[in-house]
Amino acid sequence: MYAIVEIAGQQFKVSKDLKVYVHRLANEEGSKVSFDKVLLLDDNGTITLGAPAIEGASVEAKVLQHLKGDKVIIFKKKRRKGYKKRNGHRQYLTQILIEGISATGGKKAAPKKEAAPVVETAEEAAPKKAKAPKAEKSADEAAAPKKAKKTDSQE
């Protein structure tokens, strides 16, 4: 059984008894943590997908230790200008141990909303006036060919 869970803004694929390094959590070492934003659950081939999260599902973990990650060197240089900058960074991390995945919630179908009955107002209920018929052209006008307009070049 595994789950994809969002912890501190990042998504992790976790299973029972797995140690994971995540961004620093505010909890103390040795304390229990529960993550409710479970995005996907796989229970022996039965996959439950959340939209966006599965309601009722959670991942239980224990905070093992707080530590700093490896140093990352940032070096900037512009050639032929004498510009060099060197900087370093160590990310604050928390190591957690996944103790269990509970899938008490399932994928629930959203209740369907019934359409509200349409209420007609007095203006809509009144019969609408018919449009006036267009004037028909007489047979002489319809049979006569149309004259072409003269342009300056034709004169």
Side-chain angles (χ1 to χ4, degrees):
M1 177 178 209
Y2 73 88
I4 296 179
V5 62
E6 186 172 324
I7 302 170
Q10 292 184 320
Q11 296 176 5
F12 295 92
K13 180 181 176 183
V14 297
S15 59
K16 190 171 176 10
D17 298 329
L18 182 72
K19 291 182 182 178
V20 181
Y21 291 100
V22 298
H23 287 301
R24 178 67 59 101
L25 299 175
N27 303 70
E28 296 180 13
E29 290 183 10
S31 65
K32 307 265 184 196
V33 185
S34 178
F35 303 106
D36 296 329
K37 197 154 187 187
V38 179
L39 306 174
L40 182 136
L41 270 175
D42 183 10
D43 189 10
N44 298 326
T46 305
I47 296 177
T48 306
L49 188 62
I54 300 169
E55 292 182 25
S58 66
V59 173
E60 306 298 325
K62 180 181 178 183
V63 176
L64 296 179
Q65 63 177 342
H66 297 294
L67 59 138
K68 290 171 86 173
D70 294 335
K71 188 163 197 162
V72 177
I73 303 296
I74 296 100
F75 185 74
K76 298 179 182 178
K77 179 183 177 184
K78 294 186 180 177
R79 63 184 190 159
R80 298 187 301 271
K81 306 296 181 210
Y83 174 79
K84 292 180 186 178
K85 293 287 180 190
R86 182 178 179 273
N87 201 350
H89 174 75
R90 291 186 72 184
Q91 184 69 38
Y92 292 104
L93 301 173
T94 300
Q95 185 181 22
I96 60 174
L97 174 69
I98 305 299
E99 294 184 333
I101 300 170
S102 64
T104 55
K107 190 170 185 180
K108 297 179 182 177
K112 295 181 181 179
K113 295 182 180 178
E114 294 183 20
V118 179
V119 178
E120 294 184 13
T121 59
E123 295 174 0
E124 293 176 358
K128 296 184 179 183
K129 295 181 181 178
K131 292 184 180 180
K134 293 184 179 180
E136 295 181 15
K137 293 184 180 180
S138 64
D140 298 340
E141 294 174 1
K146 294 184 179 179
K147 295 182 181 178
K149 292 183 180 178
K150 290 186 179 179
T151 58
D152 294 335
S153 61
Q154 288 180 352
E155 291 180 3

